[in-house]
Amino acid sequence: AQSVTQLDSQVPVFEEAPVELRCNYSSSVSVYLFWYVQYPNQGLQLLLKYLSGSTLVKGINGFEAEFNKSQTSFHLRKPSVHISDTAEYFCAVSDPGNAGNMLTFGGGTRLMVKP
Amino acid sequence: NAGVTQTPKFQVLKTGQSMTLQCAQDMNHNSMYWYRQDPGMGLRLIYYSASEGTTDKGEVPNGYNVSRLNKREFSLRLESAAPSQTSVYFCASTRDRAMNTEAFFGQGTRLTVV
């Protein structure tokens, strides 16, 4: 079974600083990779996804992620964060070999942007 | 533009009580899911329904039952609530079972079992 590890449970950062949220997954077989964001008291919404092709994926709100197959990583980055980016971020993996389109989620990283 | 709607938003139950969490989507999606979210553990799949008329167990199904009432609605039932079921529950839907489709989530139900 797939597992997803988000290496940092919390990341504090000052406004306008760059940030990287790290994600590693367990399987080396072909997978689909996602980042979801959860703002306080809301459900999750898709930030970006990697299905195939270019390893650098751009998402909403200026976020991007890079797929690295050899390191089984899919780290999320933003060059300059804003207060409104304060949220919890979840990395998720979908294994085409799994029935039912089951997403396996990481434990989440809480991004705290300080003024 | 409702998307995925869950009710209730908050609930407190006593141990042994039962309740049903309701979920409805208005996007004509075929597949629906119930997840629970616990601190540090991300979201874990409880049950899913790949299409109307079918349901299957996910990673943590014990203590839960589901009903896919029609294409729009997918309910989650706790027959005898336990403190270990204190969690935030999310319903989600996808257009179909394809692995590359976006999942849309409801706003969650915060359940406390005392």
Side-chain angles (χ1 to χ4, degrees):
Chain A
Q2 286 279 356
S3 66
V4 179
T5 302
Q6 292 182 242
L7 296 161
D8 305 295
S9 59
Q10 294 187 72
V11 174
V13 63
F14 286 105
E15 194 172 17
E16 298 183 3
V19 70
E20 179 180 78
L21 307 183
R22 297 178 292 168
C23 172
N24 286 87
Y25 60 96
S26 61
S27 175
S28 60
V29 301
S30 295
V31 294
Y32 299 134
L33 297 155
F34 305 80
W35 276 98
Y36 282 84
V37 59
Q38 183 182 29
Y39 297 105
N41 299 315
Q42 295 189 26
L44 283 71
Q45 61 184 82
L46 183 66
L47 203 55
L48 51 79
K49 62 184 178 183
Y50 172 79
L51 304 179
S52 65
S54 172
T55 57
L56 185 63
V57 180
K58 293 191 184 298
I60 61 172
N61 300 338
F63 282 93
E64 62 182 31
E66 185 156 19
F67 168 59
N68 188 318
K69 187 174 182 179
S70 63
Q71 297 187 4
T72 61
S73 68
F74 190 53
H75 300 333
L76 181 70
R77 301 186 183 101
K78 186 170 183 178
S80 176
V81 295
H82 191 267
I83 294 285
S84 60
D85 292 323
T86 294
E88 188 148 22
Y89 293 79
F90 292 94
C91 181
V93 168
S94 175
D95 184 343
N98 280 346
N101 187 17
M102 290 190 291
L103 287 170
T104 301
F105 285 87
T109 297
R110 188 170 298 278
L111 177 64
M112 299 174 292
V113 182
K114 300 179 285 186
Chain B
N1 190 1
V4 179
T5 303
Q6 290 181 235
T7 55
K9 287 188 169 48
F10 301 93
Q11 183 72 49
V12 179
L13 289 179
K14 294 182 179 178
T15 298
Q17 286 185 317
S18 63
M19 78 161 295
T20 300
L21 282 65
Q22 306 287 354
C23 174
Q25 51 89 11
D26 62 2
M27 296 173 283
N28 201 35
H29 284 176
N30 288 304
S31 303
M32 298 183 74
Y33 313 81
W34 277 105
Y35 289 89
R36 60 177 288 172
Q37 181 184 25
D38 301 293
M41 303 186 74
L43 278 75
R44 292 179 292 167
L45 184 67
I46 304 171
Y47 270 93
Y48 67 97
S49 171
S51 60
E52 186 179 356
T54 69
T55 60
D56 286 285
K57 295 178 180 179
E59 182 186 353
V60 289
N62 291 345
Y64 305 95
N65 284 300
V66 290
S67 294
R68 183 75 182 267
L69 303 169
N70 48 54
K71 191 171 185 179
R72 289 186 65 248
E73 298 171 289
F74 187 40
S75 63
L76 178 72
R77 183 160 178 83
L78 287 70
E79 290 291 352
S80 179
S84 61
Q85 294 178 303
T86 293
S87 186
V88 182
Y89 291 85
F90 287 99
C91 178
S93 71
T94 57
R95 184 187 67 225
D96 50 40
R97 290 176 56 184
M99 298 298 161
N100 59 355
T101 57
E102 178 181 353
F104 291 83
F105 288 81
Q107 292 199 324
T109 297
R110 188 173 296 275
L111 175 67
T112 303
V113 183
V114 297

